Coordinates of all heavy atoms in Angstrom, one line a residue:
A125 N 38.6 96.4 -43.7 CA 37.6 95.4 -44.4 C 38.4 94.6 -45.4 O 38.0 93.5 -45.8 CB 36.5 96.3 -45.0
A126 N 39.5 95.2 -46.0 CA 40.2 94.4 -47.0 C 41.1 93.4 -46.5 O 41.3 92.4 -47.2 CB 41.2 95.4 -47.8
I127 N 41.4 93.5 -45.1 CA 42.2 92.4 -44.7 C 41.6 91.5 -43.4 O 42.1 90.5 -43.2 CB 43.5 93.0 -43.9 CG1 43.1 93.9 -42.9 CG2 44.3 93.8 -45.1 CD1 44.4 94.4 -42.0
S128 N 40.4 92.0 -43.1 CA 39.7 91.3 -42.0 C 38.4 90.9 -42.4 O 37.5 91.6 -42.7 CB 39.6 92.1 -40.8 OG 38.7 91.6 -39.8
P129 N 38.0 89.5 -42.4 CA 36.7 89.1 -42.8 C 35.6 89.7 -41.7 O 34.4 90.0 -42.2 CB 36.6 87.5 -42.6 CG 38.2 87.2 -42.9 CD 38.9 88.4 -42.4
T130 N 35.9 89.8 -40.6 CA 35.0 90.3 -39.5 C 34.7 91.8 -39.9 O 33.5 92.1 -39.9 CB 35.7 90.3 -38.0 OG1 36.1 88.9 -37.8 CG2 34.8 91.0 -37.0
V131 N 35.6 92.6 -40.2 CA 35.4 93.9 -40.4 C 34.6 94.1 -41.9 O 33.8 95.0 -42.1 CB 36.7 94.8 -40.5 CG1 36.2 96.2 -40.9 CG2 37.3 94.8 -39.2
H132 N 35.0 93.2 -42.9 CA 34.3 93.2 -44.2 C 32.8 92.9 -43.9 O 31.9 93.5 -44.5 CB 34.9 92.1 -45.0 CG 34.3 92.0 -46.3 ND1 34.4 92.9 -47.3 CD2 33.4 91.0 -46.9 CE1 33.6 92.6 -48.3 NE2 33.0 91.4 -48.2
R133 N 32.5 92.0 -42.9 CA 31.1 91.8 -42.6 C 30.5 93.1 -42.0 O 29.4 93.4 -42.3 CB 31.0 90.7 -41.6 CG 29.5 90.4 -41.0 CD 29.4 89.2 -40.0 NE 30.5 89.5 -39.0 CZ 30.2 90.4 -38.0 NH1 29.1 91.0 -37.8 NH2 31.0 90.4 -37.0
L134 N 31.1 93.8 -41.2 CA 30.6 95.0 -40.6 C 30.3 96.0 -41.7 O 29.4 96.6 -41.6 CB 31.7 95.5 -39.6 CG 32.0 94.8 -38.3 CD1 33.0 95.4 -37.5 CD2 30.8 94.6 -37.5
L135 N 31.3 96.1 -42.7 CA 31.1 97.0 -43.9 C 29.7 96.7 -44.6 O 29.0 97.6 -44.9 CB 32.1 97.0 -44.7 CG 32.1 97.7 -46.1 CD1 31.8 99.2 -45.8 CD2 33.4 97.5 -47.0
L136 N 29.5 95.4 -44.9 CA 28.3 94.9 -45.6 C 27.0 95.2 -44.7 O 26.1 95.7 -45.4 CB 28.5 93.5 -45.9 CG 29.5 93.0 -46.9 CD1 29.4 91.5 -47.1 CD2 29.4 93.7 -48.3
E137 N 27.1 95.0 -43.5 CA 25.9 95.3 -42.6 C 25.8 96.8 -42.6 O 24.5 97.3 -42.6 CB 26.2 94.8 -41.2 CG 26.3 93.2 -41.1 CD 26.7 92.7 -39.8 OE1 27.1 93.7 -38.9 OE2 26.6 91.5 -39.6
M138 N 26.7 97.6 -42.5 CA 26.7 99.0 -42.5 C 26.0 99.5 -43.9 O 25.1 100.4 -43.8 CB 28.0 99.7 -42.3 CG 28.0 101.2 -42.2 SD 29.6 101.9 -42.6 CE 29.8 101.7 -44.3
S139 N 26.4 99.0 -44.9 CA 25.9 99.3 -46.2 C 24.4 99.0 -46.3 O 23.5 99.8 -46.8 CB 26.6 98.6 -47.3 OG 26.3 99.0 -48.6
D140 N 24.0 97.8 -45.6 CA 22.6 97.5 -45.7 C 21.7 98.5 -44.9 O 20.7 98.8 -45.2 CB 22.3 96.1 -45.0 CG 22.7 94.9 -46.0 OD1 23.1 95.2 -47.2 OD2 23.1 93.9 -45.6
R141 N 22.4 99.0 -43.7 CA 21.6 100.0 -42.8 C 21.6 101.2 -43.6 O 20.5 101.9 -43.6 CB 22.3 100.1 -41.6 CG 22.3 99.0 -40.6 CD 22.9 99.4 -39.2 NE 24.2 99.9 -39.4 CZ 25.3 99.0 -39.1 NH1 25.1 97.8 -38.8 NH2 26.4 99.5 -39.0
Q142 N 22.6 101.7 -44.3 CA 22.7 102.8 -45.1 C 21.5 102.8 -46.1 O 20.7 103.7 -46.4 CB 23.9 103.1 -45.6 CG 25.0 103.6 -44.6 CD 26.2 104.0 -45.2 OE1 26.5 103.5 -46.4 NE2 27.1 104.6 -44.6
A143 N 21.5 101.7 -46.9 CA 20.5 101.5 -47.9 C 19.0 101.6 -47.4 O 18.2 102.3 -48.1 CB 20.7 100.1 -48.7
A144 N 18.8 101.0 -46.3 CA 17.4 101.1 -45.7 C 17.1 102.5 -45.3 O 15.9 103.0 -45.5 CB 17.4 100.1 -44.6
S145 N 18.0 103.3 -44.7 CA 17.8 104.5 -44.3 C 17.6 105.5 -45.5 O 16.7 106.4 -45.4 CB 19.0 105.0 -43.5 OG 18.9 106.4 -43.0
I146 N 18.4 105.3 -46.5 CA 18.2 106.3 -47.7 C 16.8 105.9 -48.4 O 16.2 106.8 -48.8 CB 19.4 106.0 -48.7 CG1 20.6 106.5 -47.9 CG2 19.1 106.7 -49.9 CD1 22.0 106.2 -48.8
A147 N 16.5 104.7 -48.4 CA 15.3 104.3 -49.0 C 14.0 104.9 -48.3 O 13.1 105.4 -49.1 CB 15.2 102.7 -49.0
T148 N 14.2 104.7 -46.9 CA 13.1 105.5 -46.2 C 13.0 107.0 -46.5 O 11.9 107.6 -46.8 CB 13.4 105.4 -44.7 OG1 13.2 104.0 -44.4 CG2 12.3 106.1 -43.8
A149 N 14.1 107.8 -46.4 CA 14.1 109.1 -46.8 C 13.6 109.4 -48.3 O 12.8 110.3 -48.6 CB 15.7 109.7 -46.8
I150 N 14.0 108.6 -49.3 CA 13.3 108.7 -50.5 C 11.9 108.5 -50.6 O 11.2 109.3 -51.3 CB 14.2 107.8 -51.6 CG1 15.6 108.2 -51.8 CG2 13.4 107.7 -52.9 CD1 16.5 107.1 -52.6
S151 N 11.4 107.4 -50.0 CA 10.0 107.2 -49.9 C 9.3 108.3 -49.3 O 8.2 108.6 -49.8 CB 9.7 105.9 -49.1 OG 10.2 104.7 -49.7

C-alpha cells in the first residue's frame, strides 16, 4: 500500500468494510 496506489485503494476500501462491519456489531 505504501508503494502502490492500487493497493493503497484496496486498503482504504478494506478499512471502510471493516468500519461498517464493526458498526453493525456495536449497534
Side-chain angles (χ1 to χ4, degrees):
I127 63 172
S128 166
T130 300
V131 181
H132 181 69
R133 173 182 56 79
L134 294 177
L135 172 60
L136 296 179
E137 292 173 353
M138 184 197 73
S139 186
D140 287 344
R141 289 193 300 270
Q142 288 182 344
S145 177
I146 292 170
T148 298
I150 290 173
S151 291

